[in-house]
Amino acid sequence: MAHVLIIGAGGVGRVVVHKCAQNSDIFDKITLASRTLSKCERYRDEVKERYDVDIDIAAVDADSVEDLVRLIEKVKPDMVLNIALPYQDLTIMEACLQTGVHYLDTANYEHPDTAKFEYKEQWAYNDRYREKGIMALLGSGFDPGVTNVFCAYAQKHYFDEIHTIDILDCNAGDHGYPFATNFNPEINLREVSAKGRYWQKDEKGEGKWIETEPMAIKMVWDYPQIGPKDSYLLYHEEMESLVKHIKGLKRIRFFMTFGESYLTHMQCLENVGMLGIEPVEHEGCKIVPIQFLKTLLPDPATLGPRTKGKTNIGIVAEGIKDGKKRKIYIYNVCDHEETYKETLSQAVSYTTGVPAMIGAKLMMESKWMRPGVYNMEQFDPDPFMEELNRQGLPWHVEEL
Ligand code: NDP
C-alpha cells in the first residue's frame, strides 16, 4: 500500500490520476497538487465519479523548493510523481532529497532559457539519493520510458549484442485543428524545432554525437496498423542514457512522424519569430513568443474528445544472437478514441501517463527499488513489460 503525491494536473497528470485510482489496491492514498487548484478539483471529481475513489488535492508552486518541502511534509507521501514540466525536475528532486521521499518523472530537466536537455544535473543527485536511501526513476513515460524498457527487453531476451537501435514514434491521430500539439506546446515545439542529433561509433570505436539541421534526415517507415509515414530524425533524451547502458551499441537514432501541414505551420511560426524563447518588448510589457503561442494554441488536455486514429511507438534493434544476425521490432499501438473512453484523454497523454503509474507501482512493490538515480533500462524489464500488457499498453514483437 502506498501514498503518492502527483504534481502537475495537465494532460498527462489526468491519466496518471485515473490509472493510480484504477490501481487503488497499491495506491491507497493519492494526493494531486498543481499550480491551478481548479484543475485538481476537476480531476478529483472525475475520479470519484468513475471509480468511487477519494483523492486529496493541493495547490503548489513547483518552482519553489520551500513550497514543495512544506507540501511534502504536510502530505507525507511515500513518493512524488513529477508530472509537471521539465523545468520543475530539479526543484522537485531537491525537495524529495530534503524530505527523504522517492521521486519519479517523465521528462529530462530543461532550463527555461536554453532549449537543450541533458541528464547531467539529474544524474548529479545520484550519490546524495543513495546516501539518503531514496530512489529517483527518470523518464518513466513512453519515450523516454517504455522505449528504454523495450531496449532492455531486447537486450535481455533477443540479443547477445545490440549494434543499432532506431526508435520510431508515430502519432497518426487527427484532432481536426489546423495546428495543435499533443502535449505541452512549449515543450513540444522547442523539441521539434531544435537541431537533430544521433549517436554513432567511428572507425576507432569512439562514440560521437552527429548533429543535423532540424528535420534534415527523413525516411518512410511502414507502421503496423497505420501504414507508411514520413519520419524525421530528431534528438531525443533517452538516447543519452541508452548509449551508456546497451552493450555493443554502434548507432542509435530517433525518428518521429510529422505531417506536411504540421511542418509548414511550424516553419512559418519559426520564420516570424513565434518560437522564440527570449522575451520581447510588446507595448510596454515583456512577452516570450513561444509562451504567448501556447496561450493561443488548443490546450492538449482538451484534444481528447476530438482525436481519432492511432499512435505506434517502438524500437527496431539489430545485432547478434548465437553468432547470427538478428533484427527485431517491438512496438505498441494505441487508439486515441479508446484511451478517451477509458481516461478522458488522448493517446499521447495516455501513453505517457500509464508508464508513469507503472514505474511508481513497481517502485512501491519493491520490484524496482534501489537507492540512487536511475534510467529505466537499468532495471529488469520483465515486470514492466507484464504491467504494460495488463494496464492498457499491450506490445508486439516482430522478427524482421
Ligand atoms: P501540461 O502543460 O498539460 O501540464 C503540465 C502541468 O504542470 C500543468 O497542469 C501545470 O499547471 C503544471 N505546472 C507547470 N508549472 C508548474 C509549477 N511551477 N508548479 C506547479 N504546477 C506546475 O503538460 P503535459 O501533461 O502534456 O506534460 C506533462 C509532462 O509530461 C511534461 O514534462 C512533458 O514533457 C512530459 N511528457 C513526456 C512524454 C514521454 O513520453 N516521456 C510524452 C509527453 C509529455 P497549470 O495548469 O496550473 O499551469
Side-chain angles (χ1 to χ4, degrees):
M1 300 295 252
H3 177 187
V4 284
L5 169 60
I6 300 164
I7 298 180
V12 179
R14 183 184 222 163
V15 176
V16 178
V17 173
H18 276 250
K19 294 306 281 195
C20 286
Q22 287 177 17
N23 287 270
S24 57
D25 52 329
I26 299 293
F27 304 108
D28 66 325
K29 193 159 169 5
I30 302 164
T31 304
L32 172 65
S34 198
R35 201 163 38 185
T36 316
L37 195 64
S38 58
K39 290 195 185 171
C40 301
E41 285 167 352
R42 185 165 159 212
Y43 297 169
R44 175 195 62 193
D45 297 347
E46 262 170 39
V47 159
K48 176 72 183 163
E49 199 186 309
R50 290 207 158 204
Y51 318 106
D52 196 25
V53 167
D54 290 300
I55 68 166
D56 291 339
I57 56 167
V60 71
D61 175 9
D63 289 319
S64 155
V65 175
E66 252 178 34
D67 217 21
L68 287 163
V69 166
R70 212 175 305 123
L71 177 70
I72 296 172
E73 282 175 345
K74 186 166 161 232
V75 169
K76 296 191 173 43
D78 297 302
M79 72 177 290
V80 171
L81 279 73
N82 168 14
I83 316 293
L85 297 177
Y87 312 137
Q88 280 87 45
D89 285 6
L90 297 184
T91 46
I92 301 179
M93 282 188 87
E94 179 59 36
C96 284
L97 180 66
Q98 288 186 20
T99 51
V101 167
H102 303 297
Y103 169 92
L104 172 150
D105 66 30
T106 66
N108 198 185
Y109 172 67
E110 208 175 318
H111 194 283
D113 300 336
T114 16
K116 172 182 171 198
F117 33 86
E118 54 186 1
Y119 278 115
K120 192 171 67 188
E121 283 159 290
Q122 292 184 273
W123 284 339
Y125 272 93
N126 187 33
D127 289 347
R128 282 172 289 162
Y129 265 58
R130 219 175 258 177
E131 279 156 24
K132 193 89 178 182
I134 55 171
M135 172 175 155
L137 184 61
L138 306 183
S140 191
F142 207 104
D143 45 342
V146 176
T147 48
N148 303 55
V149 176
F150 284 171
C151 292
Y153 188 76
Q155 177 164 276
K156 181 172 173 183
H157 296 286
Y158 289 88
F159 293 97
D160 295 324
E161 231 178 54
I162 297 182
H163 293 161
T164 67
I165 294 172
D166 280 340
I167 301 167
L168 304 166
D169 178 333
C170 169
N171 177 11
D174 180 8
H175 42 60
Y177 285 115
F179 186 72
T181 62
N182 292 289
F183 66 97
N184 185 284
E186 192 184 334
I187 304 296
N188 181 241
L189 290 166
R190 277 166 65 130
E191 177 178 286
V192 302
S193 59
K195 290 207 168 176
R197 222 172 348 142
Y198 64 100
W199 182 92
Q200 190 164 284
K201 272 195 178 151
D202 62 17
E203 338 50 78
K204 290 187 214 125
E206 263 176 58
K208 291 214 167 86
W209 289 101
I210 296 154
E211 198 168 83
T212 66
E213 285 308 308
M215 310 289 167
I217 298 182
K218 179 179 114 172
M219 68 157 180
V220 177
W221 184 260
D222 193 357
Y223 294 88
Q225 299 185 41
I226 291 175
K229 291 273 172 202
D230 289 346
S231 308
Y232 295 84
L233 186 139
L234 296 185
Y235 176 67
H236 223 246
E237 62 208 60
E238 62 265 52
M239 293 193 286
E240 189 186 357
S241 67
L242 287 167
V243 298
K244 283 171 60 136
H245 299 131
I246 299 296
K247 279 186 287 187
L249 198 60
K250 293 179 181 161
R251 189 189 72 200
I252 183 164
R253 307 181 297 184
F254 180 97
F255 289 88
M256 191 179 269
T257 59
F258 295 100
E260 238 176 85
S261 166
Y262 181 98
L263 291 180
T264 311
H265 275 84
M266 200 181 77
Q267 192 67 58
C268 176
L269 290 165
E270 188 162 34
N271 288 347
V272 297
M274 281 301 285
L275 302 188
I277 60 172
E278 296 292 333
V280 295
E281 190 88 15
H282 174 71
E283 297 188 351
C285 57
K286 286 210 183 289
I287 54 168
V288 176
I290 198 166
Q291 286 172 3
F292 177 61
L293 177 63
K294 175 180 185 270
T295 308
L296 298 178
L297 289 176
D299 178 354
T302 64
L303 297 178
R306 16 181 334 136
T307 308
K308 295 181 174 27
K310 289 177 179 166
T311 61
N312 179 325
I313 316 174
I315 64 139
V316 172
E318 248 184 297
I320 300 283
K321 178 75 180 172
D322 300 327
K324 286 198 197 108
K325 279 191 178 178
R326 187 171 211 188
K327 185 172 181 178
I328 62 154
Y329 186 17
I330 314 180
Y331 61 88
N332 159 263
V333 178
C334 196
D335 185 302
H336 287 284
E337 288 175 277
E338 294 295 321
T339 64
Y340 185 74
K341 264 188 241 150
E342 187 194 324
T343 59
L344 301 169
S345 308
Q346 38 86 1
V348 175
S349 300
Y350 188 87
T351 52
T352 311
V354 173
M357 180 281 293
I358 295 175
K361 184 171 186 280
L362 296 184
M363 285 171 71
M364 292 294 93
E365 290 172 338
S366 298
K367 289 181 183 162
W368 277 20
M369 179 49 73
R370 269 200 311 263
V373 175
Y374 297 97
N375 294 88
M376 307 285 287
E377 68 276 13
Q378 291 178 274
F379 287 93
D380 179 7
D382 292 354
F384 203 100
M385 295 293 273
E386 282 160 27
E387 286 290 342
L388 285 171
N389 281 335
R390 245 182 254 141
Q391 304 283 354
L393 294 175
W395 42 272
H396 311 266
V397 183
E398 273 177 30
E399 196 96 36
L400 299 183

